[in-house]
Amino acid sequence: MQQETKNQICVHCGDDCGKHPVMWDDKPFCCNGCSTVYQLLHENELCSYYDFESNPGIKIESGKFKEKFAFLDEEEIANQLYDFSEGNIRKLTLYIPAIHCSSCIWLLENLNILNQGVLKSMVNFVKKEVSLTFYSDQVSIRQLAELLSSIHYVPEITLDKLQQKQNKDANKKLLYKIGIAGFCFGNIMLLSLPEYVPGNEYLETHFKNFFGMMNFFLVLPVFLYSGNDYLASAYKAIKHRFVNIDVPISLGILTLFIQSSYEIFSGTGAGYMDSLTGLIFFLLIGKWYQNRTYQALSFERDYRSYFPVAVSKMESGQEVSTPIEKLKKGDIILIRNQELIPADSILTKGDAQIDYSFVTGESKPVFKEVGDQIFAGGKQMGSAIELTIEKDVVQSRLTQLWNQFDEENSEASKLNSLIDKISKHFTIIIIAIAALSGLYWLFNDTSKAVFAFTSVLIVACPCALALSAPFALGNTMRLMGRLGIYLKGSHVVEKLNSITSIVFDKTGTITQADEVKISFEGDKLTTEDYVAVKSLTRHSTHILSSSIYDHLKDISPEKVEDYHELPSMGISGFVNGHEIKLGSAKFISEGISESKSLTTEVYYSVDGNVKGHFTLSNQYRTGLSDLIKNLSSKYDLHVLTGDNDAERENLEKIFPASSNLRYDQSPNDKLEYVNQLKKEGRKVLMIGDGLNDAGALKSSDVGISIADDVYHFSPACDAILESSKFSELTRFLSITKKSIWIVKLSFLLSFLYNFVGLYFAIQGILSPIVAALLMPISSVSIVAFTTITTNLIAKNKESENKITDNKNIEQKTFASAKSVQLN
């Protein structure tokens, strides 16, 4: 007989599937929506979604939000929401308050499975935002909003200062709740005063009843409004069959409220309304503190841990290198081959071929003509162009793009995974301990039963544990920024701690671009030759091109046509009708063999005739020998260079015999070499100039790009290191190791706090109000500990660097610097 299916439960959402369930992989689902989400998780190996908290998912609903987002069909409104719009590709950021856990992130970052029109989606958990890149000819912004809403992630869409308004409204609402809780707590404490002073037994019964009823009415707004977030969160968790941290807190609140109400209405006691309101009041204070500190951490990442990018600004026909934070609307800037566009602009001169892969992930170039708009984050592919800035530069825009430029399958943080594993069982264990404590005292001393039960639930909170890693690593990231290395995110600190191998590029990394001695060997060059060289090198961002360009100070460049650049090979173009080439011997002509001199050679040809070569003598960075000596005792070292082995003798004097030195390496060779090291199980740190090393930088576990003279922007890397701080690399690596040690120590302190708190709570001698006080204090203490200790490990070096920086500031002039940016 066929088994009836009416009692089958949906694998995803837990609802009754009815008599005709949707089947997939022999599993029942109540609808196609739930089946699709399950397949999404299954195909991406994310089925730990169902194991993480043992909870079903959320059922997809359709048709419910059809009219709510109808206004998004208006093109004028939709255009105001787009962060980027080019061809059929759109990008926007939506605020979604319902984001609350790792399951949310998994679903939202795999929306492309639910709708093929979504190219990419990324979640900013701290800000509760999802950034969507999609094809406008396949899905509209309205359909995206409806899709999100149908799986219970309803976006809040406004057209004014979106994030500022949302943060302001959220903070205002929380402050209202704190204010109401504080007002009621103070008055209930006043009305409960007779219970705490001698002689309260002589108070007349009608006064006790009156004070009790007053306390009951005062606690209602606190219970129903101020504490409703905890109760609602716990209800939703239990409804979907999992336990979050709000469950024990809500159990404590409900226990105090029910017990107190019973005593007041039965006339058997005064209840614990003062403890209840105090509990909620101090819980909200702790919540406010955590919100403020998380927002502060987010602010640090988005605005203060910046990297000043400089571009060439045109002033009276002259190029002046200018930090982008000083650019303003109407300024004219020069963007060379492979440089990023720092602000939304209008093309005013030249032929633009823009690669928007940094913004959209699509590498297909877009051709632009004079008068066309070009968005920030695009990369020019070809000869230099001039742009007029249309919108003021917002530093956070490039920072946000940089933070999002990451491999899709990046390795999760081990520390965060550890916290997840601990938190998974923490709450259930605490509820069990609270129940056993309450039962014990119920049979031995009923007066302590309620206090023991509620105090255990409140005092044992994993909040301090959860704060340890973000604040220790976040503060380390901020401090390292002050010292001269700018990290993409706090997770890079953890990755640097596990490094076993360090790979160096040579040109522009261990050699200095601003101290190169240049001469020309070969036919005598004419003024026309110098003009041609100056004109061609003006369009390139490579270290050698920049050095030659700066060397020809008194030459005025002219227009270059049909400009091309081959990474690690050379550049070419037509100047005044002549084909000009600059680069390696192989690039110029197959018949030339490079000399074995201890210099770098850049060959020059006109219309196929080789006229000679520029020689650039390498100057190694100050402190390189000491740095390599310190690193070689802890890491295995490698050097990859596109130059020939003319420098072998010099490099072998600096690097130990155990180091692996490789020459004539193309960008692809460097990438394959890094991948091979990773296959051998090594954790690789790649340090390059961000020009020809983009592939290797991205593929390595941690990629650091060197910033020479002025800082350059390399989205393929995880960190940007000031060239003047190159010799401090050992120090930076040491700081990361100490920071991880601090995180682990803060874990221990958090556990110790919970054990001590539980010791007193189990005995029934810790009141809920004291437990509620200890809860935020634990968070404050952990944040204070991690902040102070991470400050201490960098304090001495920071003070030394300030003295050095003050001297360097006077010597640095942006006017003589050229912008060096990514390849």
Side-chain angles (χ1 to χ4, degrees), residues 74 98 135 228 234 261 281-282 312 387 465-466 565 597 619 670 720 739 807:
E74 296 290 336
Y135 296 109
N228 68 343
S261 299
F281 175 69
F282 289 115
S312 294
L387 305 170
L465 179 68
E565 180 168 348
S597 64
Q619 301 292 318
K670 295 177 183 179
I720 295 177
S739 296
K807 294 179 181 179

Side-chain angles (χ1 to χ4, degrees), residues 197-339:
V197 298
N200 67 82
E201 64 272 14
Y202 301 111
L203 189 65
E204 295 181 14
T205 304
H206 66 277
F207 278 114
K208 288 185 178 182
N209 293 336
F210 174 75
F211 290 153
M213 292 304 297
M214 287 294 294
N215 284 344
F216 177 79
F217 287 116
L218 281 170
V219 86
L220 285 178
V222 180
F223 178 74
L224 297 175
Y225 176 68
S226 298
N228 68 343
D229 287 341
Y230 297 103
L231 299 173
S233 175
Y235 170 74
K236 291 177 182 177
I238 294 172
K239 180 181 178 182
H240 293 290
R241 305 179 204 171
F242 73 93
V243 177
N244 62 13
I245 186 57
D246 291 330
V247 171
I249 292 175
S250 298
L251 280 175
I253 292 172
L254 286 171
T255 301
L256 286 173
F257 180 75
I258 293 171
Q259 177 68 21
S260 300
S261 299
Y262 170 77
E263 291 187 9
I264 289 172
F265 284 99
S266 66
T268 56
Y272 311 100
M273 294 304 189
D274 51 348
S275 296
L276 175 57
T277 51
L279 166 65
I280 294 176
F281 175 69
F282 289 115
L283 285 175
L284 291 173
I285 291 290
K287 186 176 183 179
W288 173 84
Y289 172 76
Q290 288 188 21
N291 285 351
R292 292 285 294 180
T293 47
Y294 269 120
Q295 287 173 14
L297 184 63
S298 174
F299 183 83
E300 285 284 350
R301 288 191 58 180
D302 288 346
Y303 298 94
R304 291 187 179 177
S305 63
Y306 66 90
F307 23 86
V309 183
V311 295
S312 294
K313 177 183 173 182
M314 303 301 295
E315 294 184 358
S316 302
Q318 300 294 318
E319 300 172 22
V320 179
S321 191
T322 307
I324 69 164
E325 64 265 27
K326 293 185 179 180
L327 296 176
K328 57 184 182 296
K329 183 177 180 180
D331 285 347
I332 299 175
I333 57 175
L334 180 74
I335 300 296
R336 298 177 178 81
N337 179 49
Q338 302 293 330
E339 285 188 339

Side-chain angles (χ1 to χ4, degrees), residues 6-217:
K6 63 178 181 180
N7 293 324
Q8 284 186 289
I9 300 299
C10 178
V11 172
H12 175 69
C13 73
D15 279 0
D16 189 342
C17 293
K19 295 183 179 181
H20 304 287
V22 176
M23 302 298 295
W24 185 84
D25 196 24
D26 295 328
K27 294 179 175 63
F29 298 91
C30 63
C31 64
N32 286 316
C34 288
S35 174
T36 303
V37 175
Y38 181 89
Q39 291 175 51
L40 180 160
L41 297 172
H42 181 272
E43 290 170 4
N44 290 273
E45 298 181 355
L46 297 175
C47 279
S48 52
Y49 169 79
Y50 299 98
D51 302 327
F52 183 72
E53 311 253 13
S54 298
N55 70 304
I58 298 175
K59 183 176 181 179
I60 289 186
E61 299 174 4
S62 59
K64 184 177 178 181
F65 301 92
K66 286 293 184 183
E67 297 304 321
K68 179 174 181 178
F69 299 107
F71 69 96
L72 294 176
D73 285 334
E74 296 290 336
E75 186 175 353
E76 185 178 348
I77 294 176
N79 288 336
Q80 295 181 57
L81 294 172
Y82 294 139
D83 297 326
F84 174 86
S85 176
E86 185 65 56
N88 66 336
I89 296 180
R90 303 286 186 271
K91 184 171 183 176
L92 79 158
T93 303
L94 297 175
Y95 174 68
I96 302 179
I99 299 174
H100 70 285
C101 67
S102 57
S103 303
C104 301
I105 297 173
W106 285 342
L107 285 174
L108 291 172
E109 291 194 344
N110 286 274
L111 287 175
N112 60 311
I113 307 296
L114 294 177
N115 191 308
Q116 298 296 322
V118 179
L119 180 63
K120 190 174 184 181
S121 54
M122 294 190 69
V123 173
N124 184 324
F125 184 75
V126 175
K127 290 186 174 182
K128 297 186 183 299
E129 291 179 343
V130 59
S131 178
L132 298 164
T133 305
F134 61 98
Y135 296 109
S136 59
D137 57 347
Q138 296 184 33
V139 60
S140 68
I141 185 173
R142 175 183 176 179
Q143 290 172 327
L144 281 177
E146 290 172 353
L147 171 64
L148 289 167
S149 300
S150 70
I151 54 174
H152 293 260
Y153 294 104
V154 183
E156 290 188 7
I157 301 175
T158 57
L159 298 180
D160 55 351
K161 305 269 185 181
L162 185 61
Q163 186 57 42
Q164 294 179 15
K165 181 179 186 298
Q166 288 157 352
N167 286 338
K168 185 177 179 180
D169 290 346
N171 289 331
K172 189 182 294 185
K173 185 177 180 180
L174 181 58
L175 289 175
Y176 286 155
K177 293 187 175 185
I178 292 173
I180 290 173
F183 171 80
C184 295
F185 174 49
N187 282 279
I188 290 176
M189 285 290 291
L190 181 64
L191 293 171
S192 301
L193 185 62
E195 297 293 327
Y196 297 96
V197 298
N200 67 82
E201 64 272 14
Y202 301 111
L203 189 65
E204 295 181 14
T205 304
H206 66 277
F207 278 114
K208 288 185 178 182
N209 293 336
F210 174 75
F211 290 153
M213 292 304 297
M214 287 294 294
N215 284 344
F216 177 79
F217 287 116

Side-chain angles (χ1 to χ4, degrees), residues 408-431:
E408 293 182 8
N409 298 317
S410 59
E411 185 178 336
S413 168
K414 293 180 181 178
L415 287 174
N416 288 334
S417 298
L418 175 63
I419 294 172
D420 289 341
K421 290 177 182 178
I422 294 172
S423 301
K424 179 179 179 180
H425 305 291
F426 186 92
T427 305
I428 296 174
I429 293 172
I430 293 305
I431 292 175

Side-chain angles (χ1 to χ4, degrees), residues 636-652:
D636 56 282
L637 306 180
H638 311 257
V639 176
L640 305 178
T641 175
D643 297 338
N644 58 37
D645 62 354
E647 284 287 305
R648 181 185 295 274
E649 184 179 340
N650 287 338
L651 290 173
E652 288 180 347

